[in-house]
Amino acid sequence: MALYSEKVMDHFRNPRNVGVLEDANGIGEVGNAKCGDIMKMYLKIEDDIVKDVKFETFGCGSAIASSSMATELIKGKPVSEARQLTNKAVAEALDGLPDYKMHCSVLAQEAIESALKDYESRQEKK
Amino acid sequence: MIYADNAATTKMSDAAVQTLTDLLKDTYGNPSSLYEFGQKAKEVLEQARRDVAEAIGAQPNEIIFTSGGSEADNQAILSAAKMGALKGKKHIISTAFEHHAVLHTLRKLEKEGYEVTYLDVHSNGLVTASQVADAIREDTCLVTIMYANNEIGTIQPIREIGEVCKAKNVTFHTDAVQAVGHIPVNVVDDNIDMLSASGHKFHGPKGVGFLYVKKGIKVFNLIEGGAQERNRRAGTENVPGIAAMATALKESVANLDSYKAKLTPIRDKIIKGIGEIPHSALNGDAVSRVPSNINYCFEGIEGESLLLLLDDKGIAASSGSACTSGSLDPSHVLLAIGRIHDVAHGSLRLSLGEDITDEDADYIIKSVREVVEYLRGFSPVWRDLVAGKKEFIL
């Protein structure tokens, strides 16, 4: 029995949407280095659609895989749908995470929430 | 596949496997039985005791076979504490970076009213004999300091510490799990009263270890029952395991010089090669260190992902990252030498075995460099450090 599911390992080894979005209009960063996990999400939203998304993560295998999966789940989706993303959905899409790693999926959800919040506050300022 | 986690456990030697399997098949008698089958097992057991004793400069009747290092640590510490309490002495001296078998036993004693002084191990992972001397009080009943650290491999000045304890008449125990079979250990020359060791750290089997108790030092049983081990450890002896451990120990001790001569240059080559990675730092003193240990912190990355990617490259290693332990805090050893959480999460321990080659070393260096660079490539922490938004720690 491996530590992680094959899905987790796939997303860890070949993370989707990794990197920086130079023209992002919503950026969120959660976690802290003291705890060993930081996730940063970059969103490019147009016409209420998540046109593009990228992430950067400092963290363990499941943190990287959770970020990668979360970006896949919201890419191309309406903002209203992205807002509904739960950590449970991220974990399920990864075929599960060990109990003590569930917080990684929570962090992914929070990173997206934080980026959406940033997007909204930028819109209000316009 | 390069197995570089020999501080976690080692592969059994061929000779130890041979001893174990032969005895499992043929020598199944109970050493406590009077008939031939039993007495044959008893002979094997007592030969193993002589071999183990000789390997550390002890007398056979000073060796108690246990289930491993943790049991030996527990028995030594709890016994010394109990003896101390009988004389009204309830102060113990140790260090902040002991193995959990020691630390958790000490914490239990603290809850029972003992006072423990944890000596600072400094940034190089070394404690000094004068620190011990300064900490000893009228009511000190035990000094327990590990011989070599399991994570960073630093070798403590055990002989000098033992001298101090002897002069002040305080019982001295050392957890020598990472030292026995790896560096020369002699309980008489090193002034050791009690010493714990574990078979599987020097190519013996798991589930077997021993406690050396100097003649005249009193220990109590942890396990009540029969009169085995001269009334100090009940339970039918694991004869095949004990004898296999003795075989492995004899072999390891006979090869100490070649082990050191082979591993030291390879260790130092890897230390140098990995050290060229920017913003990395060696953990623990570079010289007073077991020949097998390399331990680094890398800024901006996390240890578990480092290990998983090294595993993909065929390298088995370990890390002091919180994520690898299932707890929220990184290694207490790295914190004890002053590494802050942010960088302690990004640690890597390589513990080499005798079969390591120069080519393996090159491959390890190359692989670690690649993986660190790759992970830094999408680490938001690294980005902030490079952009000057955060200050480098290493």
Side-chain angles (χ1 to χ4, degrees):
Chain A
M1 174 65 193
L3 176 63
Y4 293 128
S5 71
E6 277 180 35
K7 265 266 176 61
V8 172
M9 287 309 292
D10 176 36
H11 276 261
F12 166 65
R13 290 188 180 116
N14 311 294
R16 282 47 150 190
N17 307 309
V18 69
V20 180
L21 266 188
E22 296 299 346
D23 58 347
N25 53 7
I27 299 175
E29 184 175 308
V30 294
N32 66 67
K34 189 167 187 273
C35 300
D37 290 301
I38 294 184
M39 281 183 202
K40 194 165 184 180
M41 286 283 170
Y42 302 84
L43 303 178
K44 172 72 184 164
I45 296 170
E46 278 172 24
D47 305 328
D48 267 346
I49 302 280
V50 180
K51 288 276 186 212
D52 205 358
V53 49
K54 286 212 186 301
F55 80 91
E56 289 185 306
T57 291
F58 161 89
C60 60
S62 65
I64 292 169
S66 295
S67 329
S68 167
M69 181 54 86
T71 61
E72 287 239 291
L73 292 174
I74 63 162
K75 195 170 176 177
K77 300 279 166 62
V79 168
S80 58
E81 221 173 286
R83 205 174 280 129
Q84 305 290 317
L85 182 79
T86 63
N87 80 293
K88 215 170 147 239
V90 173
E92 274 170 15
L94 287 168
D95 289 341
L97 286 172
D99 283 349
Y100 69 103
K101 295 285 189 178
M102 281 305 283
H103 73 275
C104 293
S105 62
V106 174
L107 217 53
Q109 178 193 331
E110 288 173 355
I112 287 171
E113 285 169 356
S114 163
L116 286 169
K117 210 170 157 194
D118 178 52
Y119 167 73
E120 281 150 20
S121 72
R122 291 192 202 196
Q123 296 308 107
E124 281 163 19
K125 279 179 197 157
K126 274 188 180 172
Chain B
M1 180 77 199
I2 302 173
Y3 182 72
D5 204 14
N6 286 275
T9 194
T10 57
K11 181 186 172 185
M12 276 181 73
S13 74
D14 291 342
V17 170
Q18 191 69 48
T19 302
L20 185 76
T21 49
D22 286 353
L23 291 169
L24 281 171
K25 276 186 249 168
D26 305 327
T27 312
Y28 51 82
N30 187 324
S32 302
S33 304
L34 57 83
Y35 44 72
E36 185 61 28
F37 279 115
Q39 288 309 300
K40 179 72 193 33
K42 176 90 178 159
E43 261 171 49
V44 171
L45 179 67
E46 294 315 316
Q47 184 57 47
R49 199 183 305 281
R50 286 190 289 274
D51 290 342
V52 166
E54 195 188 336
I56 60 163
Q59 297 303 312
N61 60 6
E62 295 175 317
I63 303 295
I64 303 172
F65 291 119
T66 67
S67 65
S70 294
E71 184 189 329
D73 283 338
N74 273 258
Q75 186 169 14
I77 294 166
L78 294 174
S79 294
K82 194 167 167 185
M83 285 306 292
L86 292 175
K87 297 177 201 156
K89 295 181 171 188
K90 294 182 81 173
H91 175 242
I92 298 170
I93 296 166
S94 189
T95 73
F97 76 165
E98 296 296 312
H99 189 273
H100 285 132
V102 170
L103 281 185
H104 290 175
T105 307
L106 294 175
R107 288 205 189 118
K108 181 163 122 176
L109 288 169
E110 283 179 294
K111 282 187 192 138
E112 291 171 11
Y114 288 81
E115 195 187 328
V116 182
T117 300
Y118 298 96
L119 299 176
D120 180 10
V121 294
H122 307 102
S123 58
N124 60 359
L126 293 171
V127 68
T128 65
S130 65
Q131 278 175 276
V132 176
D134 290 346
I136 290 178
R137 315 190 309 212
E138 279 298 310
D139 63 341
T140 305
C141 61
L142 171 70
V143 170
T144 174
I145 292 175
M146 69 200 322
Y147 210 120
N149 184 271
N150 51 314
E151 290 187 33
I152 59 173
T154 50
I155 302 168
Q156 305 307 315
I158 291 300
R159 191 166 298 186
E160 291 74 19
I161 293 170
E163 227 164 44
V164 166
C165 295
K166 200 176 183 179
K168 302 223 179 184
N169 204 19
V170 175
T171 302
F172 176 43
H173 165 254
T174 183
D175 173 341
V177 165
Q178 298 288 340
V180 169
H182 296 272
I183 54 172
V185 172
N186 183 296
V187 291
V188 177
D189 296 345
D190 292 346
N191 307 302
I192 296 166
D193 294 321
M194 292 195 275
L195 171 147
S196 310
S198 173
H200 74 105
K201 305 292 191 186
F202 48 75
H203 306 288
K206 291 164 185 63
V208 55
F210 65 88
L211 174 64
Y212 154 79
V213 183
K214 187 179 169 180
K215 192 166 183 272
I217 303 276
K218 171 110 179 114
V219 291
F220 299 93
N221 318 27
L222 291 183
I223 297 171
E224 301 294 344
Q228 290 90 354
E229 299 299 297
R230 303 168 75 235
N231 271 317
R232 292 177 297 180
R233 208 281 184 177
T236 302
E237 301 88 341
N238 171 10
V239 176
I242 289 167
M245 168 172 72
T247 300
L249 184 57
K250 258 171 79 174
E251 247 185 328
S252 295
V253 169
N255 293 324
L256 282 180
D257 290 342
S258 59
Y259 174 81
K260 185 180 179 185
K262 181 179 177 188
L263 288 195
T264 308
I266 296 182
R267 175 197 72 187
D268 291 343
K269 177 181 180 166
I270 298 175
I271 286 178
K272 186 168 174 287
I274 293 181
E276 284 167 14
I277 296 173
H279 305 288
S280 63
L282 179 70
N283 294 312
D285 194 80
V287 179
S288 187
R289 185 178 196 102
V290 291
S292 55
N293 180 287
I294 296 140
N295 191 314
Y296 262 94
C297 277
F298 305 103
E299 198 150 11
I301 64 162
E302 192 280 329
E304 193 212 69
S305 20
L306 176 63
L307 293 191
L308 290 170
L309 292 171
L310 287 177
D311 187 25
D312 280 352
K313 289 177 180 288
I315 300 169
S318 95
S319 170
S321 141
C323 280
T324 57
S325 69
S327 83
L328 285 175
D329 285 316
S331 147
H332 69 286
V333 173
L334 298 179
L335 297 178
I337 61 166
R339 296 284 183 227
I340 66 165
H341 281 64
D342 307 47
V343 294
H345 286 296
S347 77
L348 172 70
R349 178 186 73 182
L350 297 159
S351 42
L352 312 176
E354 290 86 337
D355 52 353
I356 191 97
T357 63
D358 220 39
E359 291 73 47
D360 291 341
D362 290 330
Y363 181 71
I364 287 173
I365 294 167
K366 178 174 160 278
S367 302
V368 173
R369 282 184 189 165
E370 282 171 8
V371 171
V372 170
E373 196 183 330
Y374 167 74
L375 288 171
R376 281 176 173 172
F378 60 93
S379 159
V381 176
W382 183 250
R383 171 174 300 284
D384 287 351
L385 289 166
V386 172
K389 287 185 194 164
K390 267 187 207 159
E391 273 189 41
F392 282 105
I393 299 159
L394 304 179

